[in-house]
């Protein structure tokens, strides 16, 4: 069941190979077919603020581990409109880069589920930027610092509202689902 390249289950990542130490990172580090076996959650007393104090109140969006940092998203009110933001956090929750807006238009936006590909973060959210339309689902990609990698792509388009998007990376494609 292993690829022709041998027992290394991820040739793109030198930290992943048979005999590697399994760590809690949603990855099969030691190539034994099991993910994060023997790992356990160890809570700390350290509180981490993901959102920005200037954009409150708000709510959570998504969280993705890039292998070196977290990409965290949230929505909050700014200028009377709900907006979606993303920031890069280190292992201890300290901000590594400036907060980046996911939704750039002055239209209410919520959500921002995230998925990491190994090179970039995919994000999906709902907003109502199009006049006469309800909420629609949009997608974009971001580098590990939160900088966008292209234009927003509208992925829904039926009458009514498209809300509560979810996102997964299959290893080759992003898959988006949502509620109509």
């Amino acid at each position: 069941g292993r690829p022709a390249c041998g027992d290394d289950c991820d040739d793109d990542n030198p930290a992943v190979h048979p005999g590697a130490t399994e760590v809690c990172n949603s990855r099969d580090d030691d190539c034994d077919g099991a993910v994060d076996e023997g790992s356990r959650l160890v809570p700390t007393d350290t509180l981490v603020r993901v959102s920005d104090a200037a954009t409150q109140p708000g709510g959570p969006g998504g969280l993705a581990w890039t292998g070196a940092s977290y990409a965290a998203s949230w929505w909050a009110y700014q200028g009377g409109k709900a907006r979606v933001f993303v920031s890069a956090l280190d292992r201890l929750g300290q901000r590594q880069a400036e907060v980046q807006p996911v939704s750039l238009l002055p239209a209410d936006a919520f959500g921002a589920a995230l998925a990491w590909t190994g090179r970039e973060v995919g994000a999906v959210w709902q907003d109502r930027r199009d006049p006469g339309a309800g909420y629609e689902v949009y997608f974009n990609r971001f580098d590990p610092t939160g900088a966008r990698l292209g234009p927003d792509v509208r992925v829904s388009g039926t009458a009514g509202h498209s809300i509560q998007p979810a996102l997964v990376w299959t290893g080759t494609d992003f898959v988006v689902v949502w509620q109509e």
Side-chain angles (χ1 to χ4, degrees), residues 7-126:
D7 291 338
D8 189 342
C9 56
D10 186 352
D11 292 334
D12 291 332
N13 187 338
V16 175
H17 57 82
T21 300
E22 189 70 38
V23 295
C24 184
N25 59 7
S26 300
R27 176 173 51 218
D28 181 12
D29 299 293
D30 58 7
C31 298
D32 67 354
V35 175
D36 296 345
E37 71 272 15
S39 300
R40 62 189 183 105
L41 176 63
V42 180
T44 68
D45 291 333
T46 304
L47 299 176
V48 176
R49 174 183 221 121
V50 173
S51 65
D52 191 307
T55 57
Q56 289 205 4
L63 186 66
W65 173 248
T66 70
S69 64
Y70 292 98
S73 68
W74 72 95
W75 67 267
Y77 287 97
Q78 184 179 54
K81 296 288 185 179
R83 305 284 302 274
V84 176
F85 302 91
V86 67
S87 62
L89 307 172
D90 68 14
R91 289 179 175 266
L92 301 176
Q94 299 300 310
R95 232 179 237 132
Q96 294 184 302
E98 291 294 315
V99 171
Q100 299 294 321
V102 172
S103 53
L104 297 175
L105 302 172
D108 283 329
F110 300 94
L114 304 176
W116 172 247
T117 70
R119 293 181 189 88
E120 60 195 27
V121 176
V124 292
W125 67 95
Q126 66 198 39

Side-chain angles (χ1 to χ4, degrees), residues 82-174:
R83 305 284 302 274
V84 176
F85 302 91
V86 67
S87 62
L89 307 172
D90 68 14
R91 289 179 175 266
L92 301 176
Q94 299 300 310
R95 232 179 237 132
Q96 294 184 302
E98 291 294 315
V99 171
Q100 299 294 321
V102 172
S103 53
L104 297 175
L105 302 172
D108 283 329
F110 300 94
L114 304 176
W116 172 247
T117 70
R119 293 181 189 88
E120 60 195 27
V121 176
V124 292
W125 67 95
Q126 66 198 39
D127 75 33
R128 57 180 184 179
R129 68 179 74 179
D130 298 319
Y135 284 98
E136 297 296 341
V137 174
Y138 290 84
F139 169 84
N140 208 331
R141 299 169 303 115
F142 299 84
D143 74 13
T145 69
R148 73 181 48 247
L149 297 175
D152 297 347
V153 176
R154 183 174 165 178
V155 296
S156 65
T158 59
H161 294 297
S162 300
I163 59 173
Q164 298 179 340
L167 179 67
V168 67
W169 171 250
T170 67
T172 56
D173 298 301
F174 286 105

